[in-house]
Amino acid sequence: MSKQAKPPKPDELAKSIDYKPPKTNWMETPVEFKPGTYCYGARPKYLEAVEMPNPREWSPADEDWKLPENWKEIVLEGMQDRLGKYRSYKLFMDICVRCGACADKCHFFIGSGDPKNMPVLRAELMRSVYRKYFTTGGKFFGKAAGARELTEDVIKEWWYYYYQCTECRRCSVFCPYGIDTAEITIMGRELTNLLGLQTDWIGGPVANCYHKGNHLGLEPHTIQSNIEMMCDDIEEITGIRIEPTFNRKGAEILFVTPSGDLFGLPGVYTCMGYLMLFHELGLDYTWSTYASEGGNFGFFTSNEMAKKLHYKIYAEAKRLGVKWILGGECGHMWRLVHQYLNTWWGPPDFLEVPKSPITGTVFEHAKSTKMVHVAEFTADLIRHGKIKLDPSRNDHLKVTFHDSCNTSRGMGIFEEPRYVLKHVVNHFYEMPENTIREKTFCCGSGSGLNAGENMELRMRGGFPRANAVRYVNEKYGVNMLANICAIDRAALTTLMQYWVPEVDVCGLHELVGNALVMTGEKKRTMDLRLEPLPGVEEEEEEE
Amino acid sequence: MPTFTRTMGLRGLLKENRERILNNWFEAIINTYPEETVKFLKNTKDKFHNPVGQTIKEGIEGILNELIGEGETDKITPFLDRIIRVRAIQDFTPSEAVAFIFKLKEIVRAELNSQALQNEELRWFDNKIDELALKTFDIYMSCREKIYELRATELRNWTYKLLERANLLAEGEDNFKIK
C-alpha cells in the first residue's frame, strides 16, 4: 500500500515558487501521438470481415479520425447500455475513493513515468465522462465534481491510454475495494470499437480467427505440415518418428494450444516438447486444424467478439466427440476458460470431467470447464512417477520463471509449473518476491499490444520485469527465462534482447522435451533447438 | 602517476562533497519527469518497485565513483548505458535523453568553490565530461538502432516456421551446399 503523502516542508515550499505559467490540468492536456507508442489503425478489410462498424483507412496520428457523425451519441448510448448490463462496470465507476494504492503498481507507469498510466488516473479518464452524463453531481457541478464533456480529444485520450494497458490486473491486487481496472480498459476498448477504432494488430487476428480459426489465417494443410516439420526435427534429435493425428473423431482428448507454438520462435520448441511427451505416454489425443488457436484477440475487442471466437474450441470438441480438452501453454485462453466460459454458456454438458488416462487423477477443479492446463497434467505425471527425466540435459541452463499474468492472477497457477521445472532442470532461481506470483510484472505486450510499431512502449512496460530478470542474471548467472504463455515467449524474447541480452526465453515444455527420456531414443547430442548439448561432444571425443 | 597528481585536488573535493553532488544531480534528472511522477521516482527505495529511479541513482553513483577514482571512460560507459537505455525509450527527445551528463558540470561548479581548483583541473574535468557526452551519443544511437533491429527480428521470428517451409530463409550452412 502507498504511504500517505506528507505535507511539504517550508524550504520545499519556497523552492516550489516560480514564475513560469502553471502547467495545464490533466483534463486540458490533450494527447500527443508520438511514433513508437501507439499501434496502427485497423485496415477496413478486417472490420468488414467481422461486420464491425465504421471500416475505413485511418491513422491515429491524423487530426481527423473519420468518426461517424453521431459518434457522441453512439458512445454515450454504449456506456448507458453497459452500465445497465455489467454491474461491475457501474460499481467500478462509482466506488473509487482515489486512495492511490494502485497508482504506482502499473508496469506502464513505472516504466514510462507518465502519470496518466497510473491506474487510478487511467480510470479517471472515463469516470470524468461518466460523472458528467450519468450522475446528478456531475451534471450540475461539472468540473468541480470531477466531471468533463465528452469531446473528440477525450476519445483520442481514451484510445491512447486504453491501448497502453495490458489488462494484466496487477493494480487490482492492491486495490482495497477490489476494483479491477482491467475491466475499465476492457470497456474503453469496447466503446472505442463502436466507432471503428480497432488496432490493426488486433483486427487482423480477429478477422483471421473468425474465418480460419487462427491468428494468421493458416489453412488445415499448412498447420498439418508445420507440425510434421517439427516431427522431422524431433526424429533428427531422438531417432523417433512421431505421427500425430489431426481432426480425428473418437480421440479421448482434444489438444489446443496458441498458434504461436505452431510457427513462431521460440514457441515451436515448446510445441515439440508437447509432441514428444504425448508420444511417450501413448496418449489418445488429436490436434484440430479448426480449433487451431488458443489465443483470442476478440477478448481485446469486446465481450461479444471474445465469446464468438472462444466457442470454436468447444464446438470442435463436440464435433470430434472427445471426452475432455487439454490446453497448451497459453495466457488469455486460460483467463477466458476460467473466468468467462461459464458466464457465457454454463458448463459444457457434452464432455466428461477430465481424468488423466495415465495416472487416473480426476481433475476436479476442471469439473465445469472440462479443460486441463498442460502444466497441471505434466506435474501430475511427475508426481506419480510416470515419466523418466534426465534434468542434466538442461545443465547448461540457469532458469528463472516468469508468472504470466493470466495464468497467475487470472486462475491461480503458481506451483505446477515450478514443480515441473524443479524436476526438469537442476538450476532454478526465483526472481524477487514482489515481482512474481500474484504480484508478477507483465511482459508489457499482452492484450494485443505485441505489435512492432509500438516497440518503445513495449520496452517501457516490460522494464520492471526485465529489471528483475537482470537481477537474477547478475546474482546467479540466470540465462533462461521460462514461462507458460505464447505472447510471453515472443514478447519476452524481444524484451530480453533490449534489456538483458544474456538471457534467452523458452516455454516450460521445451525444457520437459529436453529432459524427457523416451523409449528407444538414440543418444541425445542436440537440444530441441538443434543446438549441440554442451558436454556431449567432448564426451564423444574422449570415447 | 601523473594523472593522480594533476587531479588530486579536484578528486578530493568531489569525494568530500559526494553525497551533495549526487543528491543534486539525482534531483536534476528526476525533475525532467512529470511533476506527479517525481515523488514516486525519488522516494520509492525498492529497486524492483522503482527500477527507473533506482537505475538512475545507481548509474550516477557509478559515474561519480569512477570520476573520483581513475576516471577511465571505459569503466564509466556501462553506467552511462544503464541510464540512457531507460531514457532512450521514454518520452524524451534525443537531447533531453542525454542532457543529464552536462548537468554534472553545472552541479560540480555550483558545489565546489572553483577558486580552490587549478584551472588545469577544471579543464581536465570539462574535457572528461565532453568525452563522456560523446559516448552518450553513441549509446543513445545504439539503443535506437536496437529498437529497429528488434522490430525486424520479431517479425521474422513470429512466422519463422512458415518462412522456413516456403524456403524463404537464407541462413545456416545447408543453404550454401549444392544439393
Side-chain angles (χ1 to χ4, degrees):
Chain A
M1 297 266 277
S2 290
K3 285 176 196 161
Q4 285 229 307
K6 283 182 195 155
K9 289 176 193 150
D11 62 324
E12 281 177 350
L13 267 181
K15 261 196 239 168
S16 70
I17 297 170
D18 69 24
Y19 297 95
K20 280 184 279 182
K23 284 185 190 168
T24 51
N25 177 280
W26 69 264
M27 279 193 192
E28 283 93 39
T29 313
V31 163
E32 192 188 336
F33 285 85
K34 288 187 188 160
T37 61
Y38 59 87
C39 293
Y40 299 145
R43 277 167 273 184
K45 65 174 181 182
Y46 292 147
L47 299 192
E48 281 157 7
V50 286
E51 295 175 331
M52 281 169 62
N54 200 20
R56 76 231 175 270
E57 293 288 346
W58 74 289
S59 163
D62 291 346
E63 181 64 34
D64 178 12
W65 279 17
K66 302 175 193 163
L67 300 181
E69 237 170 70
N70 58 338
W71 66 266
K72 196 166 172 174
E73 203 182 312
I74 294 172
V75 173
L76 292 175
E77 273 176 17
M79 281 181 86
Q80 174 86 61
D81 176 37
R82 282 159 184 77
L83 286 164
K85 234 181 354 188
Y86 307 127
R87 202 170 39 176
S88 56
Y89 180 39
K90 173 86 170 69
L91 204 62
F92 295 162
M93 284 292 105
D94 281 326
I95 60 173
C96 174
V97 292
R98 298 187 232 180
C99 70
C102 65
D104 56 2
K105 305 305 186 296
C106 171
H107 51 293
F108 279 113
F109 170 68
I110 294 173
S112 71
D114 181 346
K116 283 187 187 171
N117 276 328
M118 293 178 182
V120 55
L121 194 44
R122 199 189 287 122
E124 202 65 15
L125 304 179
M126 188 179 284
R127 283 198 188 102
S128 53
V129 173
Y130 164 75
R131 286 191 200 106
K132 176 74 191 171
Y133 298 93
F134 300 96
T135 68
T136 315
K139 275 177 201 162
F140 285 106
F141 300 109
K143 208 174 155 187
R148 65 170 172 172
E149 290 281 342
L150 180 62
T151 63
E152 276 198 48
D153 276 345
V154 169
I155 293 293
K156 288 183 177 177
E157 188 183 50
W158 280 10
W159 194 86
Y160 190 68
Y161 286 102
Y162 294 134
Y163 287 91
Q164 289 200 20
C165 163
T166 42
E167 304 177 3
C168 81
R169 300 169 75 234
R170 188 171 193 266
C171 51
S172 72
V173 171
F174 298 88
C175 175
Y177 284 86
I179 296 173
D180 185 350
T181 308
E183 289 216 14
I184 294 169
T185 294
I186 289 170
M187 287 302 117
R189 293 193 183 185
E190 283 213 4
L191 293 170
T192 48
N193 262 306
L194 296 176
L195 306 176
L197 299 174
Q198 177 70 297
T199 72
D200 202 59
W201 190 258
I202 297 175
V206 164
N208 282 327
C209 256
Y210 188 62
H211 289 273
K212 299 281 168 67
N214 55 71
H215 288 167
L216 276 199
L218 303 181
E219 298 194 342
H221 58 282
T222 313
I223 292 168
Q224 186 168 340
S225 59
N226 260 12
I227 292 178
E228 281 163 359
M229 267 177 72
M230 289 181 220
C231 294
D232 294 342
D233 288 349
I234 293 171
E235 190 172 7
E236 198 181 333
I237 298 163
T238 64
I240 294 170
R241 183 71 205 175
I242 295 176
E243 305 277 358
T245 62
F246 298 88
N247 308 321
R248 178 163 59 88
K249 287 193 175 173
E252 185 181 351
I253 299 164
L254 167 66
F255 182 65
V256 179
T257 201
S259 67
D261 286 353
L262 305 182
F263 49 76
L265 289 183
V268 290
Y269 309 124
T270 307
C271 194
M272 286 160 71
Y274 307 142
L275 285 161
M276 291 160 74
L277 176 68
F278 302 159
H279 173 85
E280 181 60 20
L281 296 172
L283 201 65
D284 178 14
Y285 84 107
T286 185
W287 293 83
S288 164
T289 56
Y290 302 101
S292 50
E293 179 66 75
N296 180 343
F297 278 28
F299 183 44
F300 314 137
T301 305
S302 70
N303 186 48
E304 295 309 312
M305 193 58 78
K307 188 174 172 182
K308 231 181 235 182
L309 299 185
H310 188 69
Y311 198 67
K312 68 164 182 283
I313 296 174
Y314 284 85
E316 183 66 341
K318 194 173 188 177
R319 185 181 78 89
L320 296 175
V322 300
K323 288 184 181 161
W324 56 279
I325 306 168
L326 183 59
E329 297 182 18
C330 185
H332 60 270
M333 168 174 83
W334 287 106
R335 180 139 146 219
L336 292 172
V337 169
H338 193 70
Q339 297 186 330
Y340 288 76
L341 181 82
N342 281 345
T343 318
W344 286 336
W345 297 290
D349 55 7
F350 49 87
L351 295 169
E352 294 175 12
V353 177
K355 179 179 171 182
S356 169
I358 314 298
T359 64
T361 300
V362 178
F363 295 98
E364 291 283 347
H365 66 289
K367 199 154 60 178
S368 72
T369 65
K370 317 289 196 291
M371 193 158 170
V372 173
H373 194 291
V374 70
E376 297 168 331
F377 179 74
T378 305
D380 174 63
L381 292 171
I382 295 173
R383 178 77 179 80
H384 287 88
K386 296 292 184 188
I387 48 176
K388 204 171 159 198
L389 297 164
D390 176 4
S392 74
R393 289 178 189 160
N394 287 318
D395 268 358
H396 55 299
L397 303 175
K398 293 189 172 176
V399 184
T400 190
F401 182 70
H402 161 73
D403 290 273
S404 305
C405 308
N406 285 303
T407 48
S408 59
R409 280 189 283 270
M411 65 186 296
I413 291 194
F414 300 122
E415 300 310 327
E416 292 85 347
R418 287 179 168 80
Y419 182 79
V420 174
L421 266 179
K422 285 172 189 166
H423 285 85
V424 298
V425 303
N426 284 323
H427 311 293
F428 171 65
Y429 304 91
E430 289 280 15
M431 284 182 275
E433 182 273 332
N434 55 347
T435 73
I436 56 170
R437 297 176 191 264
E438 76 278 11
K439 292 181 205 148
T440 186
F441 274 120
C442 180
C443 63
S445 302
S447 80
L449 298 194
N450 53 329
E453 63 268 21
N454 59 340
M455 193 59 84
E456 283 90 324
L457 177 77
R458 290 174 49 194
M459 295 301 110
R460 293 173 196 179
F463 181 43
R465 166 44 73 224
N467 180 57
V469 177
R470 182 162 67 196
Y471 174 76
V472 285
N473 165 258
E474 286 173 354
K475 191 165 182 190
Y476 306 112
V478 161
N479 56 9
M480 187 56 92
L481 176 58
N483 62 78
I484 51 169
C485 163
I487 289 181
D488 278 333
R489 281 191 280 284
L492 290 173
T493 300
T494 307
L495 189 76
M496 288 302 114
Q497 283 165 9
Y498 186 76
W499 293 109
V500 204
E502 299 83 2
V503 177
D504 213 337
V505 175
C506 73
L508 179 68
H509 278 77
E510 179 184 340
L511 300 173
V512 171
N514 276 335
L516 184 70
V517 179
M518 297 174 77
T519 315
E521 70 178 6
K522 66 177 187 187
K523 185 177 176 180
R524 298 264 189 112
T525 56
M526 283 180 280
D527 63 11
L528 298 197
R529 301 187 178 199
L530 297 168
E531 282 164 11
L533 272 180
V536 174
E537 271 176 36
E538 294 90 42
E539 234 176 75
E540 280 181 348
E541 272 168 25
E542 277 170 27
E543 280 168 19
Chain B
M1 228 188 298
T3 325
F4 184 76
T5 324
R6 198 167 69 233
T7 60
M8 193 165 57
L10 170 74
R11 281 151 59 175
L13 284 168
L14 286 178
K15 203 170 175 182
E16 210 172 296
N17 295 282
R18 185 178 171 276
E19 289 310 309
R20 274 230 308 280
I21 293 171
L22 282 176
N23 283 342
N24 291 350
W25 197 14
F26 183 65
E27 191 124 332
I29 301 173
I30 294 301
N31 282 337
T32 58
Y33 289 88
E35 212 178 303
E36 300 87 338
T37 310
V38 167
K39 200 176 272 181
F40 166 73
L41 292 178
K42 248 161 69 171
N43 301 337
T44 309
K45 305 287 180 219
D46 182 325
K47 67 195 261 186
F48 303 109
H49 187 177
N50 176 19
V52 172
Q54 292 305 313
T55 298
I56 293 171
K57 195 169 214 162
E58 287 170 18
I60 60 172
E61 276 173 12
I63 296 168
L64 195 63
N65 288 347
E66 288 298 331
L67 286 174
I68 292 170
E70 296 299 320
E72 283 176 42
T73 304
D74 285 353
K75 286 192 178 157
I76 298 175
T77 306
F79 297 110
L80 288 173
D81 186 289
R82 288 221 163 173
I83 300 174
I84 297 164
R85 194 158 293 272
V86 172
R87 292 173 71 84
I89 47 105
Q90 292 181 325
D91 257 341
F92 295 110
T93 61
S95 58
E96 286 168 348
V98 301
F100 71 93
I101 193 70
F102 294 106
K103 274 273 163 204
L104 185 59
K105 269 191 193 177
E106 211 177 285
I107 287 162
V108 165
R109 275 194 163 64
E111 278 305 315
L112 307 184
N113 177 0
S114 51
Q115 300 299 320
L117 293 171
Q118 294 171 11
N119 278 344
E120 202 186 341
E121 287 179 320
L122 267 184
R123 235 185 351 257
W124 176 85
F125 182 71
D126 284 353
N127 286 345
K128 193 76 213 168
I129 298 295
D130 292 347
E131 194 186 320
L132 294 179
L134 291 174
K135 258 296 180 242
T136 64
F137 299 141
D138 292 345
I139 298 170
Y140 182 85
M141 270 316 291
S142 75
C143 288
R144 299 302 304 177
E145 279 164 4
K146 190 78 194 166
I147 293 286
Y148 304 127
E149 181 200 312
L150 290 176
R151 285 181 65 170
T153 314
E154 192 174 74
L155 196 67
R156 194 203 62 165
N157 284 350
W158 190 246
T159 53
Y160 187 83
K161 276 283 155 185
L162 297 177
L163 297 173
E164 193 181 49
R165 220 176 115 256
N167 280 328
L168 291 175
L169 288 176
E171 62 173 4
E173 283 171 24
D174 284 353
N175 292 65
F176 303 109
K177 282 181 193 159
I178 298 165
K179 286 173 189 168

